[in-house]
Amino acid sequence: MTVGEKNRRPIQAVDHDFKPTETLTPFGIFLPASNDLWLSFVYSKLTADAIVDRLEDWWQQVKARFPHIHRWVINADNGPENHSRRTQFMARLVALAQQEQLTIQLAYYPPYHSKYNPVKRTFGWLEQHWQGSLLDSVETVIRFAEALTFKGHHPTVSLVTQTYHTGVKLTQKAMMEFEQNLQRVPGLEKWFVEIVPTPA
């Protein structure tokens, strides 16, 4: 075919995503002050338990670096598995705060504002990094993630194979006990929450 001609022959093509043989869900923890990024790729659903397990794993990796830290401030989306009325999520965070003697502050972005969450930008960096390459295996995804560089930093990358079940929740009566550890900002109860541990 020469330049300027049009090919009118029908060509078979896929106009939607291929059916994946495996699915990974990314989860990120980003410290903007130091540009440190931890990326986890989860085989299972990203449930409340999966999220808190990632936070626990991260803290065990880094707490020796931050012996002076006794308060976390977590900027998060108000998603279905991690919002402040999600009983399993809040119960797990209360337990984590108590175990580690940490005060945990949750500050949620309002609807349609999650693009301002710095961790969301890290997924954009990752998409730019693999530049449309075919992610045809788990190993390929992990390799691309490990090779990502931002301001001279590579992320810490992990693959999570544990199975998590959806629908895990507490009864209202059980959650009332955990609510005693929660301090909610009046008028913004679901957006700003502080979890204060009982002194050990």
Side-chain angles (χ1 to χ4, degrees):
M1 182 170 68
T2 59
V3 176
E5 292 181 349
K6 293 182 179 179
N7 183 357
R8 298 185 182 278
R9 289 177 299 173
I11 298 174
Q12 271 195 324
V14 177
D15 62 352
H16 54 277
D17 290 341
F18 295 98
K19 282 189 175 182
T21 56
E22 294 176 302
T23 302
L24 297 176
T25 303
F27 175 79
I29 298 173
F30 181 55
L31 302 184
S34 58
N35 293 311
D36 287 324
L37 172 64
W38 289 261
L39 287 173
S40 297
F41 293 88
V42 185
Y43 267 110
S44 186
K45 297 287 187 181
L46 193 62
T47 65
D49 286 311
I51 292 170
V52 179
D53 282 353
R54 305 289 65 75
L55 291 170
E56 287 184 341
D57 289 348
W58 166 78
W59 184 239
Q60 294 308 314
Q61 293 176 47
V62 305
K63 67 178 181 179
R65 284 175 50 189
F66 303 113
H68 59 292
I69 295 297
H70 301 286
R71 178 187 298 270
W72 290 357
V73 178
I74 301 177
N75 297 116
D77 299 337
N78 203 18
E81 292 295 339
N82 69 317
H83 63 74
S84 71
R85 298 295 186 187
R86 180 74 171 88
T87 59
Q88 181 66 6
F89 181 66
M90 299 307 294
R92 287 289 312 275
L93 281 185
V94 168
L96 176 58
Q98 189 64 37
Q99 172 187 310
E100 299 295 333
Q101 286 296 290
L102 289 164
T103 296
I104 300 177
Q105 289 183 311
L106 299 172
Y108 289 97
Y109 287 88
Y112 311 112
H113 286 74
S114 63
K115 64 183 178 181
Y116 297 109
N117 189 342
V119 78
K120 289 291 188 180
R121 297 176 208 152
T122 68
F123 299 139
W125 305 337
L126 189 57
E127 288 180 6
Q128 290 178 0
H129 175 60
W130 63 48
Q131 294 183 335
S133 298
L134 183 61
L135 303 179
D136 56 354
S137 70
V138 171
E139 292 74 19
T140 300
V141 172
I142 299 301
R143 187 172 67 248
F144 268 115
E146 290 175 337
L148 174 67
T149 303
F150 178 74
K151 294 188 177 180
H153 292 249
H154 290 291
T156 299
V157 180
S158 63
L159 178 64
V160 180
T161 59
Q162 180 177 342
T163 299
Y164 289 95
H165 299 286
T166 59
V168 179
K169 60 183 179 180
L170 279 67
T171 64
Q172 186 174 7
K173 181 179 179 181
M175 188 58 202
M176 286 177 63
E177 296 182 17
F178 289 100
E179 279 286 340
Q180 297 175 11
N181 295 87
L182 308 182
Q183 297 178 3
R184 298 178 181 271
V185 174
L188 295 169
E189 288 84 356
K190 72 175 185 177
W191 302 105
F192 294 98
V193 184
E194 185 172 83
I195 302 170
V196 181
T198 304

